[in-house]
Structures are given as C-alpha cells and as structure tokens.
C-alpha cells in the first residue's frame, strides 16, 4: 500500500509539470538529510517554479524517510520567499502543508501536518535548510539539496 501511495505522489508531481504553461519554468531537484521524531534518514525530489509573485516560489516535494521502525512518505506543498542579495548565497524562508503516510509494524496511518522552513541557497542550485514540523510532520529536519536549472 505504501508503494502505491508513493506512486500516486510521483504522478501528482508529474502532473504539476504537465499542467504548467509553456512559458512557466519548473526546475526539478533532489534533497536528503536527517529528521528528528521520527529519527530517520530521508531522501526525495522536488519541483521549484519560477517566482509566482515577487520572490515567492512554489516548491512541492516528496520525501521518503527510513528508520525508527517505520517508513514515512511525506508530500509537502511548500512556498518559499528568497531574500534579495548580491552574494552567491541567499537566505530564504517558507512553509506549507504536508500529507504524511506512515507505515509501521502493525499498520499504517495518514496524517496532516505543516512545515516552516529556513534555508540558504546558492545560485548554482545547492541549498541547505531546516524544517520545523507541526501537527503530525517530523519535528525537525536538516537537509541538503540541489535544484537543477
């Protein structure tokens, strides 16, 4: 069942690309890191749009977490705001809702959550970020990723 749900999320992300107007730019990327509560290693992929308004971008993602005697598939619907700057590195903040599919010994559950994001990204596409989760999202995530341009 968990693989089916992960496949559905991949199709949702692909449909975002297919539904985008030709003039809109969408850049794919990858990310990974560690999370606390549950204590896991996670990896995944994301899409990042060109700015929707001012410096606000939509960055939906899917993360798969492994460890702590469970598997977590998280669908995140995050928006980010990048602060202007002249250096190669810029700070950003953001947040958004998430849907979390937990698979553990003895069952599974689907829970909603919300993430707050603080990060730094380089013009080359490399980024480092911290996510604080509310409700049934992981409490804290430290990650690194790359957005292809």
């Amino acid at each position: 069942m968990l693989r089916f749900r992960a496949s559905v999320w991949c199709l949702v992300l692909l449909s975002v690309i297919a539904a985008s107007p030709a003039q809109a730019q969408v850049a794919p990327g990858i990310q990974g890191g560690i999370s606390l509560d549950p204590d896991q290693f996670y990896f995944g992929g994301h899409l990042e749009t060109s700015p929707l308004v001012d410096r606000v971008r939509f960055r939906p993602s899917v993360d798969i977490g492994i460890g702590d005697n469970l598997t977590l598939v998280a669908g995140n619907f995050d928006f980010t705001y990048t602060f202007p700057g002249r250096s190669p590195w810029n700070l950003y903040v953001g947040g958004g809702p998430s849907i979390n599919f937990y698979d553990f010994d003895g069952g599974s559950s689907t829970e909603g959550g919300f993430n707050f994001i603080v990060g730094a990204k380089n013009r080359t596409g490399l980024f480092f970020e911290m996510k604080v989760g509310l409700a049934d999202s992981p409490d804290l995530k430290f990650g690194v990723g790359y957005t292809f341009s």
Side-chain angles (χ1 to χ4, degrees):
M1 187 65 173
L2 182 63
R3 289 181 193 205
F4 173 75
R5 290 177 181 165
S7 298
V8 169
W9 277 110
C10 290
L11 288 174
V12 168
L13 286 176
L14 289 174
S15 69
V16 170
I17 294 172
S20 299
Q23 68 272 15
Q25 293 181 352
V26 177
I30 56 173
Q31 70 269 350
I34 60 170
S35 70
L36 304 174
D37 196 17
D39 299 336
Q40 295 186 314
F41 166 76
Y42 73 91
F43 60 93
H46 65 270
L47 299 174
E48 184 173 76
T49 68
S50 55
L52 302 173
V53 178
D54 191 21
R55 293 176 183 90
V56 175
R57 297 173 186 264
F58 181 49
R59 192 176 77 183
S61 66
V62 173
D63 293 329
I64 300 171
I66 300 168
D68 211 7
N69 296 316
L70 63 95
T71 301
L72 167 62
V73 177
N76 305 298
F77 302 93
D78 298 324
F79 289 87
T80 61
Y81 175 86
T82 303
F83 294 99
R86 294 189 177 171
S87 76
W89 287 92
N90 291 56
L91 296 177
Y92 64 92
V93 296
S98 65
I99 299 175
N100 304 296
F101 303 104
Y102 291 93
D103 186 25
F104 48 89
D105 291 339
S108 64
S109 67
T110 303
E111 308 292 339
F114 196 90
N115 299 309
F116 290 102
I117 305 167
V118 176
K121 66 181 179 177
N122 189 283
R123 290 186 185 145
T124 64
L126 180 66
F127 65 87
F128 298 91
E129 70 181 17
M130 179 181 75
K131 283 187 177 185
V132 176
L134 298 178
D136 289 311
S137 287
D139 288 351
L140 192 59
K141 283 184 170 182
F142 295 101
V144 60
Y146 188 84
T147 303
F148 302 94
S149 50

